[in-house]
């Protein structure tokens, strides 16, 4: 995805693009399961926002989970520019990350299981890149909606860090911060690989299992 645009550092405040006051148009419903992309979500469903590289392949990892995911959507978070476009995010001048919103039922799919998929689906030790995709928009990130989510994320991260260290990987660079705003990406990005099965996916994990949570089996 726009591999020719590479920025290895966050923008200075004077460089940040101004954005726009109104949200970008996006899809109304999930292309795969038909659920409303922006809700309202059923009672009991929670959301978390995750950055793990190119959001086309990242989103597919979660809608393909066998149960417990109500809807997924791709967008932008973690930066400053309001209502950014994809091109603006790829310029590196918004501070935003390419992210996936996962709306899940914790009674069916505990957060630990969502985070197991997150950590196993990418290399969380690479800083501002995933594989050949280089830039601040490809950083590993967990954007939480509550302190309870943040505590769970930190516990899973710390457990997985030990497993990675045992296999010779460096420290985890995943940022775990409160979500300020999730901006839905443009319609054509939503469920992109369902619409374009042969489309680009540069996502790759480490092959190290993340063993967490009651009933969450290691591979």
């Amino acid at each position: 995805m726009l591999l020719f645009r590479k920025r290895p550092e966050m923008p200075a405040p004077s460089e940040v693009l101004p954005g726009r006051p109104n949200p970008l148009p996006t899809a109304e419903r999930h292309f795969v399961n038909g659920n409303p992309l922006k809700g309202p979500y059923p009672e009991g469903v929670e959301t978390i926002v995750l950055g793990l590289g190119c959001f086309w392949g990242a989103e597919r990892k979660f809608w393909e989970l066998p149960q417990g995911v109500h809807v997924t959507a791709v967008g932008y978070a973690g930066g400053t520019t309001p209502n950014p476009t994809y091109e603006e995010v790829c310029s590196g001048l918004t501070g935003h990350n390419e992210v996936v919103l996962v709306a899940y039922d914790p009674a069916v799919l505990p957060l630990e299981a969502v985070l197991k998929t997150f950590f196993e689906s990418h290399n969380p030790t690479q800083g501002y890149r995933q594989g050949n995709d280089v830039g601040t928009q490809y950083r590993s990130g967990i954007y939480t909606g509550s302190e309870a989510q943040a505590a769970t994320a930190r516990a899973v991260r710390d457990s997985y860090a030990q497993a990675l260290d045992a296999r010779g990987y460096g420290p985890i660079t995943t940022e775990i911060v409160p979500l300020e705003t999730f901006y839905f990406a443009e319609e054509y990005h939503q469920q992109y690989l369902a619409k374009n099965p042969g489309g680009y996916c540069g996502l790759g994990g480490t092959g190290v299992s993340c063993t967490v949570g009651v009933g969450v089996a290691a591979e």
Side-chain angles (χ1 to χ4, degrees), residues 156-211:
V156 175
R157 176 201 60 194
D158 294 348
S159 174
Y160 195 48
Q162 295 180 37
L164 289 175
D165 181 67
R167 293 282 293 274
Y169 284 91
I172 287 179
T173 61
T174 305
E175 62 182 15
I176 301 175
V177 295
L179 176 68
E180 293 189 2
T181 306
F182 172 81
Y183 297 102
F184 284 87
E186 299 88 332
E187 180 171 5
Y188 78 96
H189 289 300
Q190 304 298 338
Q191 299 83 62
Y192 182 87
L193 291 182
K195 303 169 187 172
N196 303 276
Y200 171 79
C201 176
L203 212 60
T206 61
V208 179
S209 180
C210 179
T211 307

Side-chain angles (χ1 to χ4, degrees), residues 18-29:
R20 55 202 47 79
N22 297 318
L24 302 175
T26 193
E28 292 186 3
R29 293 187 174 274

Side-chain angles (χ1 to χ4, degrees), residues 109-143:
L109 182 71
L111 179 57
E112 290 90 344
V114 176
L115 295 175
K116 172 181 170 69
T117 296
F118 166 78
F119 278 114
E120 291 183 348
S121 297
H122 75 302
N123 183 340
T125 71
Q126 292 188 313
Y128 292 152
R129 62 183 282 260
Q130 276 299 305
N132 292 325
D133 292 334
V134 178
T136 56
Q137 76 270 28
Y138 300 119
R139 66 191 186 270
S140 179
I142 302 173
Y143 305 94

Side-chain angles (χ1 to χ4, degrees), residues 14 24 45 90 100 128 153 168 170:
S14 60
L24 302 175
V45 167
C90 288
V100 181
Y128 292 152

Side-chain angles (χ1 to χ4, degrees), residues 32-44:
V32 177
N33 65 25
N35 289 333
L37 215 62
K38 295 185 177 183
Y41 306 135
E43 184 177 354

